[in-house]
Amino acid sequence: MAKVGKNILSIKDLTIGYNSKMVAEHINFDLETGMLCGVVGINGIGKSTLLRTLGGFQPKLSGNILLKEQNIEKYTSSNLSKELSVVLTEQPASKNLTVQELIALGRQPYTNWLGSLTKEDKQQIEDSLDAFLLKDLRHRKCHELSDGQLQRVLVARAMAQDTSLILLDEPTTHLDLYHKVQILKMLQELSHEKQKTILFTTHEIDLAIQLCDRILILDGKEHPFGNPCELIEQKHFNRLFPSEMVQFDAKTGSFKVNK
């Protein structure tokens, strides 16, 4: 179980959307140090919009986003990059780099203007290669990797950035079951052992229930937030999808197709 501490991220009555078009409103939750949190919900409910808003890629419509008890808008881009790292679903433009070179980009917030790596930078890169089982692939070009390998590289780059908070948009997309579990188990280890706070969007609700410390359900209304057992007891997963198609089995923590 995560060894939790003070709040890293606090979301207060947040409304998200594009221009004046509201996607979701009244979002409230807090995440402490060392927590792994999944964001789940049906397609189009606002999962990626929330993540992009928290990462500063698009403005909020209203509400407050507090990172380490300070409004995120008060951070300079340089300071924010030392506290927050983001892995989006878009493929990196730098796939011609080697695995080691791409992970080294995570150290950019700390390197001098020449971009030269210190002993500490090199150690962070080594630790990231090791944590995500990439040492044997360090000299491989990223365009030569499988989807699962590339996903591990992108998360390793975020780890090398050494931020308190890591945001990931659909980190298990296009992966088979084994590699979905592998990535999520690695994220769980990173949050608990390195005391990183990790928030990720996912369609893998069954896996999130098994591995996450907290889950945020974007449901278009209440947006319930809590530990998976509490959310199961309160029957929030039962209301996630139309019941004539699938039903949630509280005993197994999984969805069953109605035949």
Side-chain angles (χ1 to χ4, degrees), residues 4 57 85 92 99-100 103 114 118-119 123 208 214-215 250 252:
V4 297
F57 292 93
S85 49
V99 166
Q100 184 165 311
I103 292 172
L114 289 172
T118 65
K119 186 177 179 181
Q123 188 59 54
R214 298 287 185 273
I215 292 179
T252 62

Side-chain angles (χ1 to χ4, degrees), residues 87-102:
V87 180
L88 297 175
T89 49
E90 291 91 356
Q91 294 293 304
S94 43
K95 285 178 76 172
N96 204 37
L97 296 176
T98 65
V99 166
Q100 184 165 311
E101 288 168 342
L102 186 58

Side-chain angles (χ1 to χ4, degrees), residues 37-256:
C37 177
V39 181
V40 304
I42 62 173
N43 284 348
I45 202 70
K47 298 187 297 295
S48 294
T49 305
L50 173 63
L51 196 111
R52 294 180 68 86
T53 304
L54 298 180
F57 292 93
Q58 66 187 71
K60 67 189 182 187
L61 297 187
S62 65
N64 288 300
I65 303 168
L66 302 178
L67 179 59
K68 288 189 171 179
E69 300 180 351
Q70 180 175 312
N71 198 306
I72 203 166
E73 291 155 0
K74 293 185 177 177
Y75 283 86
T76 64
S77 58
S78 173
N79 287 338
L80 188 60
S81 66
K82 293 177 182 177
E83 297 290 350
L84 169 68
S85 49
V86 184
V87 180
L88 297 175
T89 49
E90 291 91 356
Q91 294 293 304
S94 43
K95 285 178 76 172
N96 204 37
L97 296 176
T98 65
V99 166
Q100 184 165 311
E101 288 168 342
L102 186 58
I103 292 172
L105 290 179
R107 298 305 298 165
Q108 277 188 332
Y110 309 95
T111 56
N112 60 31
W113 64 277
L114 289 172
S116 50
L117 298 171
T118 65
K119 186 177 179 181
E120 182 187 350
D121 294 326
K122 291 175 182 175
Q123 188 59 54
Q124 287 284 355
I125 294 164
E126 282 300 314
D127 289 348
S128 299
L129 284 163
D130 189 40
F132 288 92
L133 309 178
L134 294 166
K135 284 195 168 184
D136 291 344
L137 300 173
R138 68 165 74 223
H139 300 303
R140 187 89 65 86
K141 296 281 190 181
C142 288
H143 65 75
E144 299 171 340
L145 303 178
S146 70
D147 288 338
Q149 289 168 336
L150 181 60
Q151 193 60 49
R152 286 188 353 241
V153 174
L154 295 176
V155 180
R157 182 183 65 183
M159 177 182 167
Q161 197 172 327
D162 195 26
T163 57
S164 305
L165 177 64
I166 301 173
L167 306 176
L168 304 105
D169 195 15
E170 298 285 354
T172 57
T173 301
H174 308 309
L175 303 185
D176 60 35
L177 179 60
Y178 173 82
H179 289 98
K180 289 179 196 292
V181 173
Q182 182 187 54
I183 286 286
L184 294 182
K185 287 284 285 181
M186 286 176 166
L187 291 177
Q188 187 188 54
E189 273 183 37
L190 181 56
S191 64
H192 293 181
E193 294 180 15
K194 301 287 186 181
Q195 287 296 285
K196 303 298 184 186
T197 303
I198 300 177
L199 177 78
F200 69 99
T201 62
T202 184
H203 287 103
E204 314 303 329
I205 301 173
D206 297 11
L207 296 180
I209 286 171
Q210 294 177 66
L211 295 169
C212 288
D213 304 301
R214 298 287 185 273
I215 292 179
L216 172 68
I217 302 176
L218 292 184
D219 64 356
K221 297 174 186 173
E222 302 171 13
H223 312 304
F225 171 79
N227 74 49
C229 291
E230 290 172 347
L231 296 173
I232 289 172
E233 286 172 10
Q234 294 160 4
K235 300 188 176 181
H236 288 297
F237 294 108
N238 303 53
R239 298 187 281 272
L240 205 49
F241 301 109
S243 58
E244 67 272 10
M245 191 73 72
V246 292
Q247 285 192 323
F248 183 73
D249 184 340
K251 291 178 182 175
T252 62
S254 61
F255 289 90
K256 301 284 173 65

